[in-house]
Amino acid sequence: MLTCLLDHRGFSAGELADRASVTADEIQGVLAGRTPSEGLLRRLATALGFHAADLFILAGLEVPDDLTPLDAAATSWIAHIVMDTVHLPAAGRSELLQFIRGLPQEERRSSFVPKESEPLADGPGGSLIRMFWYRNLSRSGLAHAMAVVTPTYLSASTYYVIGDGRAELTPRLVTDFATLLGIDARELAALTGVVLPETPGPAAPEAVDAAAVLWELRRLSAPQAEHVAELANSMRGDSRAEYRINAPGW
């Protein structure tokens, strides 16, 4: 995957080593199949512009505690917040995001364990679903969020099939997963080995903000997430029409 990403960006191993402040031998070792150390992965995440947690998942390694969501119990509120976010005007989305970022960091009381328990495949589909788990989205939450933020409208059970490798990752799925993950679709395609028939256009501003909110919500406790959900709901005011599919741009 790292080889594909470097090819996509036009980087050499030496250039990546310089950006990550590591030796070229360390990069060459990863490219040759050596398991990267935790420290190397963290440096690579910074150099590549990826969230470190995502890079651990893509590498098939356990995500360190300090990179996991704070509270699995917050899962109940995450999708609702994301769905409300896309219905706010730009100023409202910015206000909500700044409010979330300004909340105090509470103490971690236990190790994070995703609420979902089904086994995931080792391939790209399993990695992508796991990346959503580590954004505190359950399968049902993922189904709801994807249906509002992107054109993809699938059942929660379909995401289970994607995660265990029985369903193909289509270009449409990769593009829409990338939108909600806040990752460039071309790079996610390179990482998953999916060929995009055409270069996708930029994500709508509502979708970009929804992905940013989804990421920031990882650091909240369940009571904090509930408070944010109430705020996002109230900010919509009387404009609470039914949730629309692919709200951005509609």
Side-chain angles (χ1 to χ4, degrees), residues 38-194:
E38 178 178 323
L40 178 56
L41 270 179
R42 290 178 186 263
R43 287 179 176 270
L44 287 178
T46 300
L48 293 168
F50 275 82
H51 296 303
D54 288 344
L55 213 58
F56 274 88
I57 291 169
L58 289 168
L61 301 176
E62 184 176 349
V63 180
D65 277 351
D66 68 302
L67 300 179
T68 64
L70 179 72
D71 187 354
T75 299
S76 302
W77 309 103
I78 304 303
H80 297 290
I81 298 169
V82 171
M83 290 189 290
D84 277 333
T85 297
V86 297
H87 290 85
L88 295 174
R93 298 193 304 271
S94 177
E95 178 184 345
L96 182 65
L97 184 57
Q98 291 307 312
F99 178 81
I100 294 169
R101 288 172 172 164
L103 288 171
Q105 182 64 62
E106 295 190 1
E107 181 182 351
R108 183 182 297 275
R109 300 186 182 279
S110 61
S111 295
F112 175 78
V113 178
K115 288 209 165 186
E116 306 294 342
S117 59
E118 67 266 16
L120 296 175
D122 291 333
S127 293
L128 293 180
I129 297 302
R130 192 166 177 236
M131 287 163 74
F132 285 113
W133 282 6
Y134 278 79
R135 281 164 172 76
N136 237 349
L137 270 181
S138 63
R139 278 190 293 117
S140 61
L142 175 58
H144 283 95
M146 285 284 287
V148 173
V149 177
T150 79
T152 295
Y153 186 70
L154 300 173
S155 67
S157 60
T158 302
Y159 290 106
Y160 170 80
V161 177
I162 292 169
D164 71 8
R166 287 180 291 152
E168 179 187 6
L169 275 177
T170 64
R172 175 80 265 171
L173 264 176
V174 170
T175 299
D176 291 346
F177 277 154
T179 296
L180 191 55
L181 289 168
I183 297 174
D184 184 278
R186 295 164 299 175
E187 296 205 334
L188 193 62
L191 288 166
T192 56
V194 174

Side-chain angles (χ1 to χ4, degrees), residues 197-214:
E198 57 186 27
T199 300
E206 299 95 324
V208 173
D209 291 342
V213 164
L214 176 60

Side-chain angles (χ1 to χ4, degrees), residues 197-232:
E198 57 186 27
T199 300
E206 299 95 324
V208 173
D209 291 342
V213 164
L214 176 60
W215 178 259
E216 294 295 336
L217 290 172
R218 302 168 70 259
R219 55 175 289 271
L220 302 187
S221 66
Q224 286 177 319
E226 181 178 8
H227 180 52
V228 171
E230 292 170 350
L231 174 62

